[in-house]
Coordinates of all heavy atoms in Angstrom, one line a residue:
F604 N 10.3 -9.1 28.9 CA 9.4 -10.4 28.8 C 9.6 -10.9 27.4 O 9.6 -12.2 27.3 CB 7.9 -10.0 28.9 CG 7.0 -11.0 28.8 CD1 7.0 -12.3 29.6 CD2 6.0 -11.1 27.9 CE1 6.1 -13.2 29.5 CE2 5.1 -12.1 27.6 CZ 5.2 -13.2 28.4
G605 N 9.8 -10.2 26.3 CA 10.1 -10.7 25.0 C 11.4 -11.4 24.9 O 11.5 -12.6 24.2
V606 N 12.4 -11.0 25.7 CA 13.7 -11.7 25.7 C 13.6 -13.0 26.4 O 14.1 -14.1 25.9 CB 14.8 -10.9 26.3 CG1 16.1 -11.6 26.5 CG2 15.0 -9.5 25.5
V607 N 12.7 -13.1 27.4 CA 12.6 -14.3 28.3 C 11.8 -15.3 27.4 O 12.1 -16.5 27.5 CB 11.8 -14.0 29.5 CG1 11.5 -15.2 30.2 CG2 12.7 -13.1 30.4
L608 N 10.9 -14.8 26.6 CA 10.1 -15.8 25.7 C 11.1 -16.6 24.7 O 10.7 -17.5 24.2 CB 9.0 -15.1 25.1 CG 7.7 -14.7 25.8 CD1 6.7 -13.9 24.9 CD2 7.2 -15.9 26.4
G609 N 12.2 -15.8 24.3 CA 13.1 -16.4 23.4 C 13.8 -17.7 24.1 O 14.2 -18.5 23.3
V610 N 13.8 -17.8 25.4 CA 14.4 -18.9 26.1 C 13.5 -20.2 25.7 O 14.2 -21.2 25.4 CB 14.2 -18.7 27.6 CG1 14.8 -20.0 28.3 CG2 15.2 -17.5 27.9
F611 N 12.3 -20.1 25.6 CA 11.5 -21.3 25.2 C 11.6 -21.8 23.7 O 11.6 -22.9 23.4 CB 10.0 -20.9 25.5 CG 9.6 -20.6 26.8 CD1 9.5 -19.4 27.3 CD2 9.4 -21.6 27.8 CE1 9.2 -18.9 28.6 CE2 9.1 -21.3 29.1 CZ 9.0 -20.1 29.5
N612 N 12.0 -20.8 22.8 CA 12.3 -21.2 21.5 C 13.7 -22.0 21.6 O 13.8 -23.0 20.9 CB 12.5 -19.9 20.7 CG 11.1 -19.4 20.1 OD1 10.3 -20.2 20.0 ND2 11.1 -18.1 19.7
H613 N 14.7 -21.5 22.2 CA 15.9 -22.0 22.3 C 15.9 -23.5 22.9 O 16.5 -24.5 22.4 CB 17.0 -21.2 23.1 CG 17.1 -19.9 22.5 ND1 17.0 -19.6 21.1 CD2 17.5 -18.7 23.1 CE1 17.1 -18.4 20.9 NE2 17.4 -17.7 22.1
M614 N 15.0 -23.6 23.9 CA 14.9 -24.9 24.6 C 14.1 -25.9 23.6 O 14.5 -27.1 23.6 CB 14.2 -24.7 26.0 CG 15.0 -23.9 27.0 SD 14.0 -23.6 28.4 CE 13.6 -25.2 29.0
H615 N 13.1 -25.5 22.9 CA 12.4 -26.4 22.1 C 13.2 -26.8 21.0 O 13.0 -28.1 20.6 CB 11.1 -25.6 21.7 CG 10.2 -26.4 20.8 ND1 9.4 -27.4 21.3 CD2 10.2 -26.4 19.4 CE1 8.8 -27.9 20.2 NE2 9.2 -27.4 19.1
F616 N 14.0 -25.9 20.4 CA 14.8 -26.3 19.2 C 16.1 -27.0 19.6 O 16.9 -27.4 18.7 CB 15.0 -25.2 18.3 CG 13.7 -24.6 17.6 CD1 13.3 -23.4 17.8 CD2 13.0 -25.5 16.8 CE1 12.1 -22.8 17.3 CE2 11.8 -25.0 16.3 CZ 11.4 -23.7 16.5
G617 N 16.4 -27.1 20.9 CA 17.6 -27.8 21.3 C 18.8 -26.9 21.1 O 19.9 -27.4 21.1
Q618 N 18.6 -25.6 21.1 CA 19.8 -24.7 20.9 C 20.2 -24.1 22.2 O 20.0 -23.0 22.6 CB 19.3 -23.5 19.9 CG 18.9 -24.0 18.6 CD 18.2 -22.9 17.8 OE1 17.9 -21.9 18.2 NE2 18.0 -23.2 16.5
W619 N 20.7 -25.0 23.1 CA 21.1 -24.7 24.4 C 22.2 -23.7 24.4 O 22.4 -23.0 25.5 CB 21.5 -26.0 25.2 CG 20.3 -27.0 25.1 CD1 20.2 -28.1 24.3 CD2 19.3 -26.9 26.0 NE1 19.1 -28.8 24.7 CE2 18.4 -28.1 25.7 CE3 18.8 -26.2 27.1 CZ2 17.3 -28.4 26.4 CZ3 17.6 -26.5 27.7 CH2 16.8 -27.5 27.4
H620 N 23.1 -23.6 23.4 CA 24.2 -22.6 23.5 C 23.6 -21.3 23.4 O 24.2 -20.3 23.9 CB 25.2 -22.9 22.3 CG 24.5 -22.8 21.0 ND1 23.7 -23.8 20.4 CD2 24.5 -21.7 20.1 CE1 23.2 -23.4 19.1 NE2 23.7 -22.2 19.0
R621 N 22.5 -21.1 22.9 CA 22.0 -19.6 22.7 C 21.5 -19.1 24.1 O 21.5 -18.0 24.2 CB 20.9 -19.7 21.7 CG 21.3 -20.1 20.3 CD 20.1 -19.8 19.3 NE 20.5 -20.1 17.8 CZ 21.2 -19.2 17.1 NH1 21.4 -18.0 17.5 NH2 21.5 -19.6 15.9
L622 N 21.2 -20.0 25.0 CA 20.9 -19.5 26.3 C 22.0 -18.8 27.0 O 21.9 -17.9 27.6 CB 20.3 -20.7 27.2 CG 19.1 -21.4 26.7 CD1 18.9 -22.6 27.7 CD2 17.9 -20.5 26.6
L623 N 23.2 -19.4 26.9 CA 24.4 -18.8 27.3 C 25.0 -17.7 26.5 O 25.5 -16.8 27.1 CB 25.4 -19.9 27.7 CG 26.8 -19.4 28.4 CD1 26.4 -18.9 29.8 CD2 27.7 -20.6 28.5
L624 N 25.0 -17.9 25.2 CA 25.7 -17.0 24.3 C 24.8 -15.8 23.8 O 25.4 -14.9 23.2 CB 26.3 -17.7 23.2 CG 27.3 -18.8 23.5 CD1 27.8 -19.6 22.2 CD2 28.5 -18.2 24.2
E625 N 23.4 -16.0 23.9 CA 22.6 -14.9 23.5 C 21.7 -14.4 24.5 O 21.6 -13.2 24.8 CB 21.9 -15.4 22.3 CG 22.7 -15.6 21.0 CD 21.9 -15.9 19.9 OE1 20.6 -15.8 19.9 OE2 22.5 -16.3 18.8
T626 N 20.9 -15.3 25.1 CA 19.9 -14.8 26.0 C 20.4 -14.1 27.2 O 20.0 -13.0 27.6 CB 18.9 -15.9 26.4 OG1 18.3 -16.5 25.2 CG2 17.8 -15.5 27.3
L627 N 21.4 -14.7 27.8 CA 22.0 -14.3 29.0 C 22.8 -12.9 28.7 O 22.5 -11.9 29.5 CB 23.0 -15.2 29.5 CG 23.6 -14.8 31.0 CD1 22.6 -14.5 32.0 CD2 24.7 -15.9 31.5
P628 N 23.5 -12.7 27.7 CA 24.1 -11.4 27.4 C 23.0 -10.3 27.1 O 23.1 -9.2 27.5 CB 25.0 -11.6 26.2 CG 25.3 -13.1 26.3 CD 24.2 -13.8 26.9
E629 N 22.0 -10.7 26.5 CA 20.9 -9.8 26.1 C 20.3 -9.3 27.5 O 20.0 -8.1 27.6 CB 19.9 -10.4 25.2 CG 20.4 -10.6 23.8 CD 19.3 -11.3 22.9 OE1 18.4 -11.8 23.5 OE2 19.6 -11.4 21.7
L630 N 19.9 -10.2 28.4 CA 19.4 -9.7 29.5 C 20.3 -8.9 30.4 O 19.8 -7.9 31.0 CB 18.9 -11.0 30.4 CG 17.7 -11.8 29.9 CD1 17.5 -13.0 30.7 CD2 16.5 -10.9 29.9
V631 N 21.6 -9.2 30.4 CA 22.6 -8.4 31.2 C 22.6 -7.1 30.6 O 22.7 -6.0 31.3 CB 24.0 -9.2 31.2 CG1 25.0 -8.2 31.7 CG2 23.9 -10.4 32.0
F632 N 22.7 -6.9 29.2 CA 22.7 -5.7 28.6 C 21.5 -4.8 28.8 O 21.6 -3.7 29.1 CB 23.0 -5.8 27.1 CG 23.2 -4.6 26.3 CD1 24.5 -4.1 26.2 CD2 22.1 -3.9 25.7 CE1 24.7 -2.9 25.5 CE2 22.3 -2.7 25.1 CZ 23.6 -2.2 24.9
L633 N 20.4 -5.4 28.7 CA 19.1 -4.7 28.8 C 18.9 -4.2 30.2 O 18.5 -3.2 30.6 CB 18.0 -5.6 28.4 CG 16.5 -5.0 28.5 CD1 16.4 -3.7 27.6 CD2 15.5 -6.1 28.0
L634 N 19.0 -5.2 31.2 CA 18.7 -4.9 32.6 C 19.7 -4.1 33.3 O 19.5 -3.3 34.2 CB 18.4 -6.2 33.4 CG 17.2 -7.0 32.9 CD1 17.1 -8.4 33.7 CD2 15.9 -6.2 33.0
G635 N 21.0 -4.3 32.9 CA 22.2 -3.5 33.4 C 22.1 -2.1 33.1 O 22.5 -1.3 33.9
L636 N 21.4 -1.8 32.0 CA 21.3 -0.2 31.6 C 19.9 0.2 31.9 O 19.7 1.1 32.8 CB 21.7 0.0 30.1 CG 23.0 -0.4 29.7 CD1 23.3 -0.2 28.3 CD2 24.0 0.2 30.6
F637 N 18.9 -0.4 31.2 CA 17.5 0.2 31.4 C 16.8 -0.4 32.5 O 16.0 0.3 33.0 CB 16.8 0.0 30.1 CG 17.5 0.8 29.0 CD1 18.3 0.0 28.1 CD2 17.3 2.1 28.7 CE1 19.0 0.6 27.0 CE2 18.0 2.7 27.7 CZ 18.8 1.9 26.8
G638 N 17.2 -1.6 32.9 CA 16.7 -2.2 34.2 C 17.1 -1.4 35.4 O 16.4 -1.2 36.4
Y639 N 18.3 -0.9 35.3 CA 18.9 -0.1 36.4 C 18.1 1.3 36.4 O 17.9 1.8 37.5 CB 20.4 0.2 36.2 CG 20.9 1.1 37.2 CD1 21.1 0.8 38.5 CD2 21.4 2.5 36.8 CE1 21.7 1.7 39.4 CE2 22.0 3.3 37.7 CZ 22.2 2.9 39.0 OH 22.6 3.8 39.8
L640 N 17.7 1.8 35.2 CA 17.0 3.0 35.2 C 15.6 2.8 35.9 O 15.1 3.7 36.6 CB 16.6 3.5 33.7 CG 15.8 4.7 33.5 CD1 16.5 6.0 34.2 CD2 15.6 5.0 32.0
V641 N 14.9 1.7 35.7 CA 13.7 1.5 36.4 C 13.9 1.3 37.9 O 13.0 1.7 38.7 CB 13.0 0.1 35.8 CG1 11.8 -0.3 36.5 CG2 12.7 0.3 34.3
F642 N 15.0 0.7 38.2 CA 15.3 0.5 39.7 C 15.4 2.0 40.3 O 15.1 2.2 41.5 CB 16.6 -0.2 39.9 CG 17.2 -0.1 41.2 CD1 16.6 -0.8 42.3 CD2 18.3 0.6 41.5 CE1 17.1 -0.7 43.6 CE2 18.9 0.8 42.8 CZ 18.3 0.0 43.8

Side-chain angles (χ1 to χ4, degrees):
F604 180 60
V606 175
V607 172
L608 285 179
V610 174
F611 298 98
N612 276 335
H613 303 329
M614 295 173 59
H615 179 76
F616 294 120
Q618 301 167 351
W619 300 97
H620 62 280
R621 293 187 182 273
L622 297 177
L623 183 62
L624 299 177
E625 290 188 11
T626 303
L627 183 60
E629 288 175 354
L630 288 175
V631 172
F632 186 89
L633 178 61
L634 297 180
L636 299 180
F637 300 100
Y639 176 70
L640 177 62
V641 173
F642 167 76

